[in-house]
Amino acid sequence: MKRTAVEFRNVTKSYGDKVVIDNLNLSIPQGHIVVLVGPSGCGKTTTMKMINRLIEPTSGEVFVFNQDVRKPDRAELRRRIGYVIQQIGLFPHMTIAENISLVPRLTNGKKGHDLTKIDQLLELVGLDAASYRDRYPAELSGGQQQRVGVARALMANPPIILMDEPFSALDPITREQLQDELIRLNEELHKTIVFVTHDMDEALKIADTIIIMGGGRVIQQGSPDHILRHPANEFVRGFLGEKRLSSHRSHTVADVMLPNPVKMSRYKGLAEAVQTMQRKRVTSILVADQDGRYRGIADTSDIYKRFHEESMTLGDVMRTNVPTLLPEMPLSEAISQVQNAPFGHVPVVNAEGKLVGLMTRASLVDLLAKPYLEEAMASGE
Amino acid sequence: MVNEWLTTFADRWTDIVDSSLQHITLSLIALFWAILIAVPLGILLTRYRKLAGLVMGIVSVLQTIPSLALLGFLIPVFGIGSVPAILAMVAYALLPILRNTYTGILDVDAPLLEAGRGMGMTRSQQLRMVELPLARPMIFAGIRTATVMTIGVATLASFIGAGGLGDLILRGISMVDTGVILAGAIPAAVLAILFDLLLAWVDRMVTPKGLRIRKEVN
Ligand SMILES: Nc1ncnc2c1ncn2[C@@H]1O[C@H](COP(=O)(O)OP(=O)(O)OP(=O)(O)O)[C@@H](O)[C@H]1O
Ligand SMILES: [Mg+2]
């Protein structure tokens, strides 16, 4: 059972008549990266700032490790919670080391910090301690500055770190790097990280738990995988976007079948059938009427067994007892049937009895390879 | 003519030095009080911003009273001598320091204050560690302006018997002796320039390296 790091109980925040957070109940588990995500103005920042009391709720209670946040002194509370903001907020008149050691210096005065800890943290966030320790923020790139921002938040070893869109001002490459490093870092440190973003890709990438907010309420909370598989409603669906959903939606037979299998009328002679099969390089042929009505399937062996009987047509040799699939059948159910089919071929026939496609074992392999093919195509653009 | 002036300078050398020292002393005392009042007041106004307009208005009005008139107002209350002179000088020096302290602190980037607050700075730590260091160049600029003004106003202090280089100027006027007038006026101008340069140098020396880099980048 995971401990709860932060808990909101019936929290409401309003400015005048405007209700910004509407009776919020929320429980944030310890040791995870929890991402608050939602459209602009939905109250993510407000929610986050109520944890370290930069904003006070109008009503309700906020608890940090089961203690009401109003109990400790405000400054005291904040020193136990790391804080990283989008604008980075390094103090320009202080060196990198002075910036990182800020929180312990607030508590213990000038000498109240551990110099080796500063170096360790610099290395932890991927900066060479010897060359950056005594520099000033203005000498660093935005990405390097935010690394220092993260190191500064870690200095007092707080169990909880709040991050408000920490990477959104950075260029895409740097952002990706810092996201990767945050994930790596927390595999090591197991902090409770409350991370605010409005970028769904970022949320899906770094989150252990995603909290989707909209209009001052929690719409859905769950793992990225859970949310992709079971979006709670249209709002979540819309926020995720069709593209992300389709790559995770459960597939149906129609998604992967061959839509235009080789087919012939049951009145065709066997010689003609063989010729078509040779031309199209297939080992079985589907039999259907002009209007598309499915009749059966004939394999090479079925045809050759009776080939010498010149009066025979496809209708005489085809098998009619082969199981078929409905196009809307979930793939998970179809897989075993495809595996057990006599030639690994299963006709797909819709409710009106019309032939719409053919499932083969090869279709399943294609499905597995699809994400990789798409990736290869995207990077080749 | 220039030769005449030079002899006047040589003859009155000790007078010039004495008057200059008096002048500097008066100015420094006035500046000391002006800083002592205007900087804390400026800080206070950033905390009670509603009062800022009113207070700044009063101080600006002081500034618009012609200096001779101000000295005249002060005589009935404080008589003559260095006290009313210094009071008048303080009144003039207040505005630039007050205004620059106020705007200097309000100009500090909001995200820096938010970061500080979010990390658990108390109000006084925020002032000491963030606001004052970052507003310091601005406050210093206000003090420089005030210094130059004070050294100028100090010349008028002689009218109410406070001494200083104004004495020489007044004497020169009554004697209709340009050389004596210049013996007061030139050192006064030189003092103003020297103090300005000195403060500019001090400003550079005390500006943290991190802020100088920022200036170069911008
Ligand atoms: N001091 C304030 N006075 C009035 N309304 C406010 C105040 N602060 C925030 N709001 C409103 O509260 C709502 C939520 O703001 P909040 O900053 O939490 O949004 P957000 O989800 O963080 O948005 P974004 O993604 O744009 O940062 C917004 O509609 C905003 O206009
Ligand atoms: Mg926000």
Side-chain angles (χ1 to χ4, degrees), chain A residues 279-293:
Chain A
R279 191 153 39 84
K280 298 269 169 89
R281 300 178 175 282
V282 292
T283 57
S284 67
I285 197 153
L286 288 154
V287 185
D289 297 344
Q290 280 305 319
D291 62 1
R293 191 182 167 73

Side-chain angles (χ1 to χ4, degrees), chain A residues 15 18 20 38-47 164-165 196 198:
Chain A
Y15 293 100
K18 192 171 155 199
V20 172
S40 188
C42 69
K44 308 180 291 290
T45 299
T46 307
T47 302
D164 194 352
E165 306 199 24
V196 166
H198 55 240

Side-chain angles (χ1 to χ4, degrees), chain B residues 1 169 175:
Chain B
M1 198 161 65
I169 298 174
M175 288 158 61

Side-chain angles (χ1 to χ4, degrees), chain A residues 49-94:
Chain A
K49 284 185 177 175
M50 287 193 286
I51 299 172
N52 66 356
R53 291 183 70 196
L54 283 172
I55 293 176
E56 301 280 358
T58 309
S59 66
E61 294 157 306
V62 182
F63 294 85
V64 167
F65 292 116
N66 297 317
Q67 187 192 38
D68 191 321
V69 291
R70 284 168 298 190
K71 202 126 176 252
D73 172 66
R74 216 187 287 233
E76 174 80 38
L77 171 83
R78 291 176 187 156
R79 288 174 199 172
R80 295 193 317 232
I81 300 176
Y83 191 50
V84 183
I85 57 175
Q86 181 183 354
Q87 301 88 341
I88 303 172
L90 295 185
F91 299 109
H93 57 297
M94 298 181 190

Side-chain angles (χ1 to χ4, degrees), chain A residues 78-79 83 93 106 136, chain B residues 112 114 117 120 125 129 210:
Chain A
R78 291 176 187 156
R79 288 174 199 172
Y83 191 50
H93 57 297
L106 293 179
Y136 284 91
Chain B
L112 288 182
E114 152 139 5
R117 231 149 54 89
Q125 283 173 330
M129 300 175 82

